[in-house]
Amino acid sequence: MADEPTLGEVVRRLEHVHLDLKEDFRDLAGRLDSKVSMERYQLEQQAGQERERQLAERLRALEEAREKEREEAEAERRRTADHRRQDRRLAFTALVAPVLLILLQVYLNSQGAGA
């Protein structure tokens, strides 16, 4: 009978086991509370995919706007170059051509007067 635990020891051991079980259940409850349900996980995944889709659309719109701006800038540059060419032609016809005609007339008159 000396090898058998006393009633007090059995009660203490049972109380200790009971406290350990309470702690284990508390830890388990905390873990379960921190777990995400499959529904919530799927909803979060769908929301993430929707955000990615919206970002991709916004990025595509920005790229298209940038391309359009580049094309408009190129067209404006071409128009400016055309205007410059036209201005040069106008300057030639308005200034240089009359001066050349006057010089030609003077030359022709001098040639005709000397003959």
Side-chain angles (χ1 to χ4, degrees), residues 41 67 69 93 114:
Y41 176 75
E67 181 65 24
E69 284 179 15
T93 57

Side-chain angles (χ1 to χ4, degrees), residues 3-56:
D3 291 338
E4 293 180 17
T6 62
L7 190 56
E9 274 185 56
V10 171
V11 169
R12 278 193 301 277
R13 287 182 185 175
L14 282 176
E15 285 177 356
H16 184 67
V17 168
H18 181 68
L19 289 175
D20 284 345
L21 280 174
K22 274 187 175 180
E23 287 178 22
D24 290 344
F25 280 125
R26 212 175 303 128
D27 289 344
L28 184 60
R31 287 182 186 174
L32 287 176
D33 287 342
S34 68
K35 294 291 180 185
V36 176
S37 70
M38 184 57 89
E39 251 180 66
R40 182 173 178 178
Y41 176 75
Q42 289 172 345
L43 289 173
E44 286 178 357
Q45 288 295 320
Q46 289 172 353
Q49 290 171 352
E50 179 64 21
R51 278 192 304 270
E52 288 175 8
R53 186 188 61 77
Q54 289 174 350
L55 283 173

Side-chain angles (χ1 to χ4, degrees), residues 44-85:
E44 286 178 357
Q45 288 295 320
Q46 289 172 353
Q49 290 171 352
E50 179 64 21
R51 278 192 304 270
E52 288 175 8
R53 186 188 61 77
Q54 289 174 350
L55 283 173
E57 285 178 5
R58 289 174 59 193
L59 181 61
R60 193 175 316 111
L62 286 172
E63 288 174 348
E64 289 171 359
R66 182 178 292 159
E67 181 65 24
K68 185 178 178 183
E69 284 179 15
R70 189 187 63 74
E71 289 172 359
E72 288 174 356
E74 181 67 22
E76 181 64 29
R77 188 190 61 74
R78 284 190 205 122
R79 281 193 297 274
T80 303
D82 289 342
H83 286 294
R84 285 183 185 155
R85 266 187 252 119

Side-chain angles (χ1 to χ4, degrees), residues 83-98:
H83 286 294
R84 285 183 185 155
R85 266 187 252 119
Q86 289 173 358
D87 289 345
R88 276 184 249 135
R89 280 189 219 126
L90 180 62
F92 178 76
T93 57
L95 299 174
V96 176

